[in-house]
Amino acid sequence: GRGDTVEITRRASSANAWLYGIGGGLMLGCAPAVLAWYVSPEWVAPPAWIALLAARFMVIGISSPVAYHLMGSGRFGVLARRVGLEATGAALLGTAGGWFWGGTGLALGLLLSTALGTSLPLFLDHARETGTRNGARLFASAWCRAIVGAAVAGGVGHAMVRSGWTGAWSLGA
């Protein structure tokens, strides 16, 4: 029944938040060093760009279970409106950000358009569609898990890279 799908979405959202938080944290903690092993350090993106990439990765990933629930419920009109809002925001905020702050501003504009256009609104739409009225709570819970996962994974990853530990995936021999 409907209650089963709501519970499945809640559990998927919880697990998904941990996974995307860990992935985002590892991007922040390890990406600059790992990229520098493959290419010249001057080719590695600035830390601000990597942080914006990790944030957008998390924003998109954390909202995916509720988006999939809406898709599975046949609520394509709701999704289309949110994606349209995000695309409009991306054009406006990305252009303005790029104009004033270059590549960093463009990336920030795209991040903001995703966060404001689809992330929180999808959680609220999910709650409205299921009649649960817990969209903000589900959103906050997912983000709390993701932030903890990102902090732990990013900190451990950064400490391991800084200490020189490379493990089995080392390029040197």
Side-chain angles (χ1 to χ4, degrees), residues 4-31:
D4 293 340
T5 60
V6 171
E7 180 60 19
I8 289 169
T9 301
R10 187 192 65 73
R11 288 181 184 205
S13 180
S14 176
N16 195 57
W18 283 113
L19 294 173
Y20 272 90
I22 291 167
L26 287 174
M27 271 190 225
L28 288 171
C30 300

Side-chain angles (χ1 to χ4, degrees), residues 138-153:
L138 186 61
F139 177 82
S141 173
W143 272 99
C144 286
R145 286 177 170 83
I147 289 168
V148 169
V152 170

Side-chain angles (χ1 to χ4, degrees), residues 41-108:
E42 57 267 5
W43 283 71
V44 176
W49 289 14
I50 293 173
L52 290 168
L53 174 68
R56 192 156 194 273
F57 167 81
M58 289 172 59
V59 166
I60 291 169
I62 290 169
S63 62
S64 61
V66 293
Y68 293 143
H69 186 270
L70 290 168
M71 277 186 227
S73 300
R75 307 304 296 169
F76 300 107
V78 171
L79 292 168
R81 281 190 298 278
R82 294 300 174 209
V83 170
L85 180 62
E86 179 182 345
T88 302
L92 296 173
L93 295 172
T95 300
W99 182 271
F100 290 107
W101 299 292
T104 303
L106 172 65
L108 182 60

